[in-house]
PDB file of all heavy atoms in Angstrom:
ATOM      1  N   GLU U1023     -33.651 -30.063 -48.661  1.00 59.00           N
ATOM      2  CA  GLU U1023     -34.928 -29.471 -48.306  1.00 59.00           C
ATOM      3  C   GLU U1023     -35.366 -29.883 -46.901  1.00 59.00           C
ATOM      4  O   GLU U1023     -35.059 -30.967 -46.431  1.00 59.00           O
ATOM      5  CB  GLU U1023     -36.028 -29.899 -49.292  1.00 59.00           C
ATOM      6  CG  GLU U1023     -35.878 -29.327 -50.684  1.00 59.00           C
ATOM      7  CD  GLU U1023     -35.077 -30.237 -51.593  1.00 59.00           C
ATOM      8  OE1 GLU U1023     -34.292 -31.047 -51.060  1.00 59.00           O
ATOM      9  OE2 GLU U1023     -35.235 -30.132 -52.818  1.00 59.00           O
ATOM     10  N   SER U1024     -36.082 -28.977 -46.237  1.00 67.00           N
ATOM     11  CA  SER U1024     -36.673 -29.333 -44.958  1.00 67.00           C
ATOM     12  C   SER U1024     -37.715 -30.416 -45.179  1.00 67.00           C
ATOM     13  O   SER U1024     -38.481 -30.371 -46.135  1.00 67.00           O
ATOM     14  CB  SER U1024     -37.322 -28.107 -44.308  1.00 67.00           C
ATOM     15  OG  SER U1024     -36.359 -27.146 -43.988  1.00 67.00           O
ATOM     16  N   ASP U1025     -37.741 -31.392 -44.311  1.00 77.00           N
ATOM     17  CA  ASP U1025     -38.665 -32.503 -44.508  1.00 77.00           C
ATOM     18  C   ASP U1025     -39.892 -32.339 -43.627  1.00 77.00           C
ATOM     19  O   ASP U1025     -39.849 -31.717 -42.575  1.00 77.00           O
ATOM     20  CB  ASP U1025     -37.978 -33.838 -44.201  1.00 77.00           C
ATOM     21  CG  ASP U1025     -37.468 -33.878 -42.771  1.00 77.00           C
ATOM     22  OD1 ASP U1025     -36.397 -33.323 -42.528  1.00 77.00           O
ATOM     23  OD2 ASP U1025     -38.171 -34.433 -41.905  1.00 77.00           O
ATOM     24  N   MET U1026     -41.004 -32.902 -44.069  1.00 86.00           N
ATOM     25  CA  MET U1026     -42.251 -32.951 -43.327  1.00 86.00           C
ATOM     26  C   MET U1026     -42.754 -34.389 -43.409  1.00 86.00           C
ATOM     27  O   MET U1026     -43.108 -34.849 -44.491  1.00 86.00           O
ATOM     28  CB  MET U1026     -43.296 -31.996 -43.921  1.00 86.00           C
ATOM     29  CG  MET U1026     -42.809 -30.564 -44.063  1.00 86.00           C
ATOM     30  SD  MET U1026     -42.497 -29.778 -42.480  1.00 86.00           S
ATOM     31  CE  MET U1026     -41.528 -28.351 -43.010  1.00 86.00           C
ATOM     32  N   THR U1027     -42.747 -35.094 -42.311  1.00 92.00           N
ATOM     33  CA  THR U1027     -43.094 -36.509 -42.359  1.00 92.00           C
ATOM     34  C   THR U1027     -44.496 -36.703 -42.919  1.00 92.00           C
ATOM     35  O   THR U1027     -44.724 -37.516 -43.806  1.00 92.00           O
ATOM     36  CB  THR U1027     -42.983 -37.145 -40.964  1.00 92.00           C
ATOM     37  OG1 THR U1027     -41.678 -36.870 -40.444  1.00 92.00           O
ATOM     38  CG2 THR U1027     -43.184 -38.647 -41.024  1.00 92.00           C
ATOM     39  N   VAL U1028     -45.459 -35.937 -42.403  1.00 95.00           N
ATOM     40  CA  VAL U1028     -46.809 -35.924 -42.969  1.00 95.00           C
ATOM     41  C   VAL U1028     -47.181 -34.479 -43.270  1.00 95.00           C
ATOM     42  O   VAL U1028     -47.156 -33.625 -42.377  1.00 95.00           O
ATOM     43  CB  VAL U1028     -47.846 -36.549 -42.014  1.00 95.00           C
ATOM     44  CG1 VAL U1028     -49.256 -36.388 -42.583  1.00 95.00           C
ATOM     45  CG2 VAL U1028     -47.543 -38.027 -41.776  1.00 95.00           C
ATOM     46  N   MET U1029     -47.483 -34.204 -44.519  1.00 93.00           N
ATOM     47  CA  MET U1029     -47.932 -32.878 -44.951  1.00 93.00           C
ATOM     48  C   MET U1029     -49.419 -32.928 -45.241  1.00 93.00           C
ATOM     49  O   MET U1029     -49.872 -33.772 -46.030  1.00 93.00           O
ATOM     50  CB  MET U1029     -47.187 -32.451 -46.212  1.00 93.00           C
ATOM     51  CG  MET U1029     -47.807 -31.270 -46.941  1.00 93.00           C
ATOM     52  SD  MET U1029     -47.570 -29.716 -46.066  1.00 93.00           S
ATOM     53  CE  MET U1029     -45.919 -29.291 -46.609  1.00 93.00           C
ATOM     54  N   VAL U1030     -50.190 -32.067 -44.578  1.00 94.00           N
ATOM     55  CA  VAL U1030     -51.628 -31.990 -44.820  1.00 94.00           C
ATOM     56  C   VAL U1030     -51.908 -30.631 -45.451  1.00 94.00           C
ATOM     57  O   VAL U1030     -51.833 -29.591 -44.795  1.00 94.00           O
ATOM     58  CB  VAL U1030     -52.442 -32.164 -43.522  1.00 94.00           C
ATOM     59  CG1 VAL U1030     -53.936 -32.131 -43.836  1.00 94.00           C
ATOM     60  CG2 VAL U1030     -52.069 -33.461 -42.819  1.00 94.00           C
ATOM     61  N   ASN U1031     -52.225 -30.636 -46.732  1.00 90.00           N
ATOM     62  CA  ASN U1031     -52.410 -29.402 -47.498  1.00 90.00           C
ATOM     63  C   ASN U1031     -53.840 -29.394 -48.040  1.00 90.00           C
ATOM     64  O   ASN U1031     -54.140 -30.050 -49.036  1.00 90.00           O
ATOM     65  CB  ASN U1031     -51.377 -29.365 -48.630  1.00 90.00           C
ATOM     66  CG  ASN U1031     -51.540 -28.136 -49.505  1.00 90.00           C
ATOM     67  OD1 ASN U1031     -52.344 -27.259 -49.234  1.00 90.00           O
ATOM     68  ND2 ASN U1031     -50.772 -28.075 -50.570  1.00 90.00           N
ATOM     69  N   ALA U1032     -54.718 -28.669 -47.371  1.00 88.00           N
ATOM     70  CA  ALA U1032     -56.122 -28.590 -47.795  1.00 88.00           C
ATOM     71  C   ALA U1032     -56.777 -29.965 -47.807  1.00 88.00           C
ATOM     72  O   ALA U1032     -57.624 -30.264 -48.631  1.00 88.00           O
ATOM     73  CB  ALA U1032     -56.246 -27.929 -49.160  1.00 88.00           C
ATOM     74  N   GLY U1033     -56.382 -30.801 -46.885  1.00 93.00           N
ATOM     75  CA  GLY U1033     -56.993 -32.110 -46.719  1.00 93.00           C
ATOM     76  C   GLY U1033     -57.152 -32.402 -45.236  1.00 93.00           C
ATOM     77  O   GLY U1033     -57.211 -31.482 -44.420  1.00 93.00           O
ATOM     78  N   ARG U1034     -57.197 -33.682 -44.875  1.00 95.00           N
ATOM     79  CA  ARG U1034     -57.447 -34.020 -43.467  1.00 95.00           C
ATOM     80  C   ARG U1034     -56.662 -35.262 -43.057  1.00 95.00           C
ATOM     81  O   ARG U1034     -56.588 -36.240 -43.797  1.00 95.00           O
ATOM     82  CB  ARG U1034     -58.937 -34.253 -43.247  1.00 95.00           C
ATOM     83  CG  ARG U1034     -59.330 -34.468 -41.790  1.00 95.00           C
ATOM     84  CD  ARG U1034     -60.843 -34.417 -41.623  1.00 95.00           C
ATOM     85  NE  ARG U1034     -61.508 -35.591 -42.146  1.00 95.00           N
ATOM     86  CZ  ARG U1034     -62.208 -35.640 -43.258  1.00 95.00           C
ATOM     87  NH1 ARG U1034     -62.338 -34.536 -43.993  1.00 95.00           N
ATOM     88  NH2 ARG U1034     -62.790 -36.754 -43.663  1.00 95.00           N
ATOM     89  N   LEU U1035     -56.075 -35.190 -41.878  1.00 96.00           N
ATOM     90  CA  LEU U1035     -55.469 -36.350 -41.247  1.00 96.00           C
ATOM     91  C   LEU U1035     -56.322 -36.752 -40.057  1.00 96.00           C
ATOM     92  O   LEU U1035     -56.596 -35.938 -39.174  1.00 96.00           O
ATOM     93  CB  LEU U1035     -54.046 -36.024 -40.755  1.00 96.00           C
ATOM     94  CG  LEU U1035     -53.423 -37.043 -39.781  1.00 96.00           C
ATOM     95  CD1 LEU U1035     -53.125 -38.355 -40.496  1.00 96.00           C
ATOM     96  CD2 LEU U1035     -52.165 -36.471 -39.134  1.00 96.00           C
ATOM     97  N   ASN U1036     -56.757 -38.009 -40.046  1.00 96.00           N
ATOM     98  CA  ASN U1036     -57.430 -38.581 -38.886  1.00 96.00           C
ATOM     99  C   ASN U1036     -56.500 -39.642 -38.307  1.00 96.00           C
ATOM    100  O   ASN U1036     -56.304 -40.700 -38.909  1.00 96.00           O
ATOM    101  CB  ASN U1036     -58.766 -39.212 -39.283  1.00 96.00           C
ATOM    102  CG  ASN U1036     -59.751 -38.192 -39.822  1.00 96.00           C
ATOM    103  OD1 ASN U1036     -59.845 -37.076 -39.319  1.00 96.00           O
ATOM    104  ND2 ASN U1036     -60.488 -38.569 -40.855  1.00 96.00           N
ATOM    105  N   MET U1037     -55.920 -39.349 -37.175  1.00 96.00           N
ATOM    106  CA  MET U1037     -54.944 -40.249 -36.578  1.00 96.00           C
ATOM    107  C   MET U1037     -55.519 -40.854 -35.306  1.00 96.00           C
ATOM    108  O   MET U1037     -55.700 -40.172 -34.300  1.00 96.00           O
ATOM    109  CB  MET U1037     -53.643 -39.502 -36.280  1.00 96.00           C
ATOM    110  CG  MET U1037     -52.535 -40.373 -35.730  1.00 96.00           C
ATOM    111  SD  MET U1037     -51.002 -39.420 -35.499  1.00 96.00           S
ATOM    112  CE  MET U1037     -49.904 -40.719 -34.925  1.00 96.00           C
ATOM    113  N   THR U1038     -55.808 -42.152 -35.360  1.00 96.00           N
ATOM    114  CA  THR U1038     -56.343 -42.856 -34.193  1.00 96.00           C
ATOM    115  C   THR U1038     -55.309 -43.802 -33.594  1.00 96.00           C
ATOM    116  O   THR U1038     -55.534 -44.381 -32.533  1.00 96.00           O
ATOM    117  CB  THR U1038     -57.603 -43.653 -34.574  1.00 96.00           C
ATOM    118  OG1 THR U1038     -57.273 -44.562 -35.645  1.00 96.00           O
ATOM    119  CG2 THR U1038     -58.715 -42.718 -35.030  1.00 96.00           C
ATOM    120  N   GLY U1039     -54.206 -43.986 -34.267  1.00 97.00           N
ATOM    121  CA  GLY U1039     -53.134 -44.839 -33.795  1.00 97.00           C
ATOM    122  C   GLY U1039     -51.929 -44.679 -34.695  1.00 97.00           C
ATOM    123  O   GLY U1039     -51.902 -43.843 -35.592  1.00 97.00           O
ATOM    124  N   GLY U1040     -50.918 -45.489 -34.455  1.00 97.00           N
ATOM    125  CA  GLY U1040     -49.734 -45.417 -35.293  1.00 97.00           C
ATOM    126  C   GLY U1040     -48.705 -44.442 -34.760  1.00 97.00           C
ATOM    127  O   GLY U1040     -48.811 -43.924 -33.640  1.00 97.00           O
ATOM    128  N   HIS U1041     -47.710 -44.161 -35.584  1.00 96.00           N
ATOM    129  CA  HIS U1041     -46.546 -43.390 -35.147  1.00 96.00           C
ATOM    130  C   HIS U1041     -46.071 -42.529 -36.312  1.00 96.00           C
ATOM    131  O   HIS U1041     -45.826 -43.044 -37.412  1.00 96.00           O
ATOM    132  CB  HIS U1041     -45.444 -44.360 -34.707  1.00 96.00           C
ATOM    133  CG  HIS U1041     -44.235 -43.714 -34.125  1.00 96.00           C
ATOM    134  ND1 HIS U1041     -44.090 -43.467 -32.771  1.00 96.00           N
ATOM    135  CD2 HIS U1041     -43.100 -43.274 -34.701  1.00 96.00           C
ATOM    136  CE1 HIS U1041     -42.912 -42.915 -32.537  1.00 96.00           C
ATOM    137  NE2 HIS U1041     -42.296 -42.779 -33.702  1.00 96.00           N
ATOM    138  N   ILE U1042     -45.940 -41.223 -36.094  1.00 95.00           N
ATOM    139  CA  ILE U1042     -45.381 -40.286 -37.078  1.00 95.00           C
ATOM    140  C   ILE U1042     -44.124 -39.698 -36.465  1.00 95.00           C
ATOM    141  O   ILE U1042     -44.169 -39.149 -35.355  1.00 95.00           O
ATOM    142  CB  ILE U1042     -46.366 -39.158 -37.425  1.00 95.00           C
ATOM    143  CG1 ILE U1042     -47.635 -39.719 -38.074  1.00 95.00           C
ATOM    144  CG2 ILE U1042     -45.713 -38.138 -38.352  1.00 95.00           C
ATOM    145  CD1 ILE U1042     -48.719 -38.673 -38.292  1.00 95.00           C
ATOM    146  N   GLU U1043     -43.005 -39.807 -37.172  1.00 92.00           N
ATOM    147  CA  GLU U1043     -41.755 -39.321 -36.576  1.00 92.00           C
ATOM    148  C   GLU U1043     -40.838 -38.696 -37.617  1.00 92.00           C
ATOM    149  O   GLU U1043     -40.611 -39.249 -38.688  1.00 92.00           O
ATOM    150  CB  GLU U1043     -41.015 -40.461 -35.874  1.00 92.00           C
ATOM    151  CG  GLU U1043     -39.739 -40.002 -35.179  1.00 92.00           C
ATOM    152  CD  GLU U1043     -39.096 -41.063 -34.320  1.00 92.00           C
ATOM    153  OE1 GLU U1043     -39.701 -42.164 -34.182  1.00 92.00           O
ATOM    154  OE2 GLU U1043     -38.017 -40.814 -33.779  1.00 92.00           O
ATOM    155  N   ASP U1044     -40.308 -37.513 -37.258  1.00 89.00           N
ATOM    156  CA  ASP U1044     -39.256 -36.878 -38.040  1.00 89.00           C
ATOM    157  C   ASP U1044     -37.932 -37.194 -37.358  1.00 89.00           C
ATOM    158  O   ASP U1044     -37.705 -36.813 -36.212  1.00 89.00           O
ATOM    159  CB  ASP U1044     -39.480 -35.368 -38.101  1.00 89.00           C
ATOM    160  CG  ASP U1044     -38.282 -34.647 -38.700  1.00 89.00           C
ATOM    161  OD1 ASP U1044     -37.712 -35.170 -39.678  1.00 89.00           O
ATOM    162  OD2 ASP U1044     -37.906 -33.575 -38.178  1.00 89.00           O
ATOM    163  N   LYS U1045     -37.047 -37.911 -38.055  1.00 85.00           N
ATOM    164  CA  LYS U1045     -35.774 -38.316 -37.479  1.00 85.00           C
ATOM    165  C   LYS U1045     -34.637 -37.381 -37.885  1.00 85.00           C
ATOM    166  O   LYS U1045     -33.461 -37.723 -37.719  1.00 85.00           O
ATOM    167  CB  LYS U1045     -35.440 -39.750 -37.904  1.00 85.00           C
ATOM    168  CG  LYS U1045     -36.345 -40.807 -37.286  1.00 85.00           C
ATOM    169  CD  LYS U1045     -35.955 -42.197 -37.758  1.00 85.00           C
ATOM    170  CE  LYS U1045     -36.738 -43.283 -37.036  1.00 85.00           C
ATOM    171  NZ  LYS U1045     -36.327 -43.411 -35.634  1.00 85.00           N
ATOM    172  N   THR U1046     -34.969 -36.208 -38.427  1.00 80.00           N
ATOM    173  CA  THR U1046     -33.948 -35.261 -38.840  1.00 80.00           C
ATOM    174  C   THR U1046     -33.972 -34.054 -37.909  1.00 80.00           C
ATOM    175  O   THR U1046     -34.765 -33.969 -36.980  1.00 80.00           O
ATOM    176  CB  THR U1046     -34.194 -34.787 -40.273  1.00 80.00           C
ATOM    177  OG1 THR U1046     -35.276 -33.824 -40.270  1.00 80.00           O
ATOM    178  CG2 THR U1046     -34.599 -35.937 -41.182  1.00 80.00           C
ATOM    179  N   ASP U1047     -33.135 -33.080 -38.202  1.00 75.00           N
ATOM    180  CA  ASP U1047     -33.138 -31.847 -37.421  1.00 75.00           C
ATOM    181  C   ASP U1047     -33.500 -30.649 -38.288  1.00 75.00           C
ATOM    182  O   ASP U1047     -33.180 -29.513 -37.970  1.00 75.00           O
ATOM    183  CB  ASP U1047     -31.774 -31.619 -36.754  1.00 75.00           C
ATOM    184  CG  ASP U1047     -30.628 -31.575 -37.758  1.00 75.00           C
ATOM    185  OD1 ASP U1047     -30.901 -31.692 -38.975  1.00 75.00           O
ATOM    186  OD2 ASP U1047     -29.471 -31.411 -37.335  1.00 75.00           O
ATOM    187  N   THR U1048     -34.193 -30.910 -39.406  1.00 77.00           N
ATOM    188  CA  THR U1048     -34.493 -29.822 -40.344  1.00 77.00           C
ATOM    189  C   THR U1048     -35.969 -29.681 -40.663  1.00 77.00           C
ATOM    190  O   THR U1048     -36.332 -28.877 -41.515  1.00 77.00           O
ATOM    191  CB  THR U1048     -33.748 -30.048 -41.678  1.00 77.00           C
ATOM    192  OG1 THR U1048     -34.158 -31.306 -42.231  1.00 77.00           O
ATOM    193  CG2 THR U1048     -32.238 -30.052 -41.469  1.00 77.00           C
ATOM    194  N   GLY U1049     -36.836 -30.453 -40.030  1.00 81.00           N
ATOM    195  CA  GLY U1049     -38.243 -30.380 -40.406  1.00 81.00           C
ATOM    196  C   GLY U1049     -39.174 -30.675 -39.255  1.00 81.00           C
ATOM    197  O   GLY U1049     -38.801 -30.572 -38.083  1.00 81.00           O
ATOM    198  N   TYR U1050     -40.398 -31.040 -39.600  1.00 87.00           N
ATOM    199  CA  TYR U1050     -41.446 -31.321 -38.624  1.00 87.00           C
ATOM    200  C   TYR U1050     -42.049 -32.693 -38.893  1.00 87.00           C
ATOM    201  O   TYR U1050     -42.071 -33.164 -40.030  1.00 87.00           O
ATOM    202  CB  TYR U1050     -42.549 -30.264 -38.697  1.00 87.00           C
ATOM    203  CG  TYR U1050     -42.139 -28.915 -38.168  1.00 87.00           C
ATOM    204  CD1 TYR U1050     -41.444 -28.011 -38.969  1.00 87.00           C
ATOM    205  CD2 TYR U1050     -42.441 -28.541 -36.862  1.00 87.00           C
ATOM    206  CE1 TYR U1050     -41.053 -26.768 -38.486  1.00 87.00           C
ATOM    207  CE2 TYR U1050     -42.067 -27.303 -36.366  1.00 87.00           C
ATOM    208  CZ  TYR U1050     -41.372 -26.434 -37.173  1.00 87.00           C
ATOM    209  OH  TYR U1050     -40.987 -25.210 -36.692  1.00 87.00           O
ATOM    210  N   ALA U1051     -42.549 -33.299 -37.832  1.00 91.00           N
ATOM    211  CA  ALA U1051     -43.243 -34.574 -38.003  1.00 91.00           C
ATOM    212  C   ALA U1051     -44.566 -34.370 -38.734  1.00 91.00           C
ATOM    213  O   ALA U1051     -44.968 -35.196 -39.554  1.00 91.00           O
ATOM    214  CB  ALA U1051     -43.470 -35.231 -36.648  1.00 91.00           C
ATOM    215  N   LEU U1052     -45.240 -33.266 -38.467  1.00 93.00           N
ATOM    216  CA  LEU U1052     -46.548 -32.994 -39.072  1.00 93.00           C
ATOM    217  C   LEU U1052     -46.651 -31.523 -39.414  1.00 93.00           C
ATOM    218  O   LEU U1052     -46.429 -30.657 -38.556  1.00 93.00           O
ATOM    219  CB  LEU U1052     -47.670 -33.385 -38.105  1.00 93.00           C
ATOM    220  CG  LEU U1052     -49.108 -33.006 -38.491  1.00 93.00           C
ATOM    221  CD1 LEU U1052     -49.515 -33.663 -39.801  1.00 93.00           C
ATOM    222  CD2 LEU U1052     -50.072 -33.391 -37.368  1.00 93.00           C
ATOM    223  N   TRP U1053     -46.990 -31.230 -40.657  1.00 91.00           N
ATOM    224  CA  TRP U1053     -47.215 -29.847 -41.095  1.00 91.00           C
ATOM    225  C   TRP U1053     -48.632 -29.771 -41.638  1.00 91.00           C
ATOM    226  O   TRP U1053     -49.001 -30.470 -42.577  1.00 91.00           O
ATOM    227  CB  TRP U1053     -46.212 -29.451 -42.175  1.00 91.00           C
ATOM    228  CG  TRP U1053     -46.301 -27.985 -42.582  1.00 91.00           C
ATOM    229  CD1 TRP U1053     -47.078 -27.016 -42.020  1.00 91.00           C
ATOM    230  CD2 TRP U1053     -45.564 -27.345 -43.627  1.00 91.00           C
ATOM    231  NE1 TRP U1053     -46.875 -25.801 -42.641  1.00 91.00           N
ATOM    232  CE2 TRP U1053     -45.954 -25.974 -43.637  1.00 91.00           C
ATOM    233  CE3 TRP U1053     -44.616 -27.783 -44.543  1.00 91.00           C
ATOM    234  CZ2 TRP U1053     -45.422 -25.056 -44.535  1.00 91.00           C
ATOM    235  CZ3 TRP U1053     -44.090 -26.865 -45.444  1.00 91.00           C
ATOM    236  CH2 TRP U1053     -44.494 -25.515 -45.431  1.00 91.00           C
ATOM    237  N   VAL U1054     -49.439 -28.912 -41.035  1.00 93.00           N
ATOM    238  CA  VAL U1054     -50.815 -28.682 -41.462  1.00 93.00           C
ATOM    239  C   VAL U1054     -50.874 -27.282 -42.050  1.00 93.00           C
ATOM    240  O   VAL U1054     -50.602 -26.296 -41.356  1.00 93.00           O
ATOM    241  CB  VAL U1054     -51.808 -28.812 -40.282  1.00 93.00           C
ATOM    242  CG1 VAL U1054     -53.241 -28.710 -40.783  1.00 93.00           C
ATOM    243  CG2 VAL U1054     -51.597 -30.126 -39.533  1.00 93.00           C
ATOM    244  N   GLN U1055     -51.265 -27.169 -43.316  1.00 90.00           N
ATOM    245  CA  GLN U1055     -51.268 -25.856 -43.953  1.00 90.00           C
ATOM    246  C   GLN U1055     -52.516 -25.661 -44.806  1.00 90.00           C
ATOM    247  O   GLN U1055     -53.344 -26.547 -44.938  1.00 90.00           O
ATOM    248  CB  GLN U1055     -50.003 -25.669 -44.798  1.00 90.00           C
ATOM    249  CG  GLN U1055     -49.899 -26.584 -45.998  1.00 90.00           C
ATOM    250  CD  GLN U1055     -48.772 -26.170 -46.925  1.00 90.00           C
ATOM    251  OE1 GLN U1055     -48.044 -25.220 -46.674  1.00 90.00           O
ATOM    252  NE2 GLN U1055     -48.628 -26.873 -48.033  1.00 90.00           N
ATOM    253  N   GLN U1056     -52.614 -24.462 -45.396  1.00 85.00           N
ATOM    254  CA  GLN U1056     -53.783 -24.075 -46.186  1.00 85.00           C
ATOM    255  C   GLN U1056     -55.058 -24.290 -45.377  1.00 85.00           C
ATOM    256  O   GLN U1056     -55.174 -23.772 -44.281  1.00 85.00           O
ATOM    257  CB  GLN U1056     -53.804 -24.848 -47.513  1.00 85.00           C
ATOM    258  CG  GLN U1056     -52.585 -24.605 -48.385  1.00 85.00           C
ATOM    259  CD  GLN U1056     -52.449 -23.172 -48.866  1.00 85.00           C
ATOM    260  OE1 GLN U1056     -53.432 -22.475 -49.049  1.00 85.00           O
ATOM    261  NE2 GLN U1056     -51.231 -22.717 -49.070  1.00 85.00           N
ATOM    262  N   ASP U1057     -56.009 -25.067 -45.888  1.00 87.00           N
ATOM    263  CA  ASP U1057     -57.233 -25.391 -45.152  1.00 87.00           C
ATOM    264  C   ASP U1057     -57.165 -26.803 -44.586  1.00 87.00           C
ATOM    265  O   ASP U1057     -58.180 -27.481 -44.444  1.00 87.00           O
ATOM    266  CB  ASP U1057     -58.462 -25.262 -46.064  1.00 87.00           C
ATOM    267  CG  ASP U1057     -58.852 -23.805 -46.277  1.00 87.00           C
ATOM    268  OD1 ASP U1057     -58.684 -23.013 -45.333  1.00 87.00           O
ATOM    269  OD2 ASP U1057     -59.295 -23.470 -47.380  1.00 87.00           O
ATOM    270  N   GLY U1058     -55.975 -27.256 -44.264  1.00 92.00           N
ATOM    271  CA  GLY U1058     -55.799 -28.605 -43.752  1.00 92.00           C
ATOM    272  C   GLY U1058     -56.274 -28.755 -42.316  1.00 92.00           C
ATOM    273  O   GLY U1058     -56.339 -27.785 -41.556  1.00 92.00           O
ATOM    274  N   GLN U1059     -56.601 -29.986 -41.953  1.00 94.00           N
ATOM    275  CA  GLN U1059     -57.025 -30.301 -40.595  1.00 94.00           C
ATOM    276  C   GLN U1059     -56.329 -31.575 -40.142  1.00 94.00           C
ATOM    277  O   GLN U1059     -56.149 -32.501 -40.918  1.00 94.00           O
ATOM    278  CB  GLN U1059     -58.541 -30.519 -40.515  1.00 94.00           C
ATOM    279  CG  GLN U1059     -59.370 -29.293 -40.837  1.00 94.00           C
ATOM    280  CD  GLN U1059     -60.856 -29.584 -40.753  1.00 94.00           C
ATOM    281  OE1 GLN U1059     -61.270 -30.729 -40.896  1.00 94.00           O
ATOM    282  NE2 GLN U1059     -61.648 -28.563 -40.525  1.00 94.00           N
ATOM    283  N   ALA U1060     -55.975 -31.609 -38.873  1.00 94.00           N
ATOM    284  CA  ALA U1060     -55.418 -32.816 -38.272  1.00 94.00           C
ATOM    285  C   ALA U1060     -56.216 -33.138 -37.020  1.00 94.00           C
ATOM    286  O   ALA U1060     -56.345 -32.291 -36.133  1.00 94.00           O
ATOM    287  CB  ALA U1060     -53.941 -32.624 -37.936  1.00 94.00           C
TER     288      ALA U1060
END
């Protein structure tokens, strides 16, 4: 399956620091869908 390091599905990501990384070649580091917010 395609990977999503962080999936936001009708929720919220508040990122003030840290590191999100997709180390593959089949997905995304961050996927925001539905009514999600980043």
Side-chain angles (χ1 to χ4, degrees):
E1023 291 91 337
S1024 295
D1025 59 279
M1026 306 294 165
T1027 306
V1028 174
M1029 165 72 83
V1030 182
N1031 178 5
R1034 186 169 73 254
L1035 166 69
N1036 296 321
M1037 183 177 182
T1038 57
H1041 185 91
I1042 298 173
E1043 183 172 355
D1044 170 41
K1045 291 180 174 289
T1046 76
D1047 57 2
T1048 59
Y1050 289 83
L1052 172 61
W1053 186 6
V1054 186
Q1055 66 169 1
Q1056 300 296 330
D1057 283 326
Q1059 296 179 336

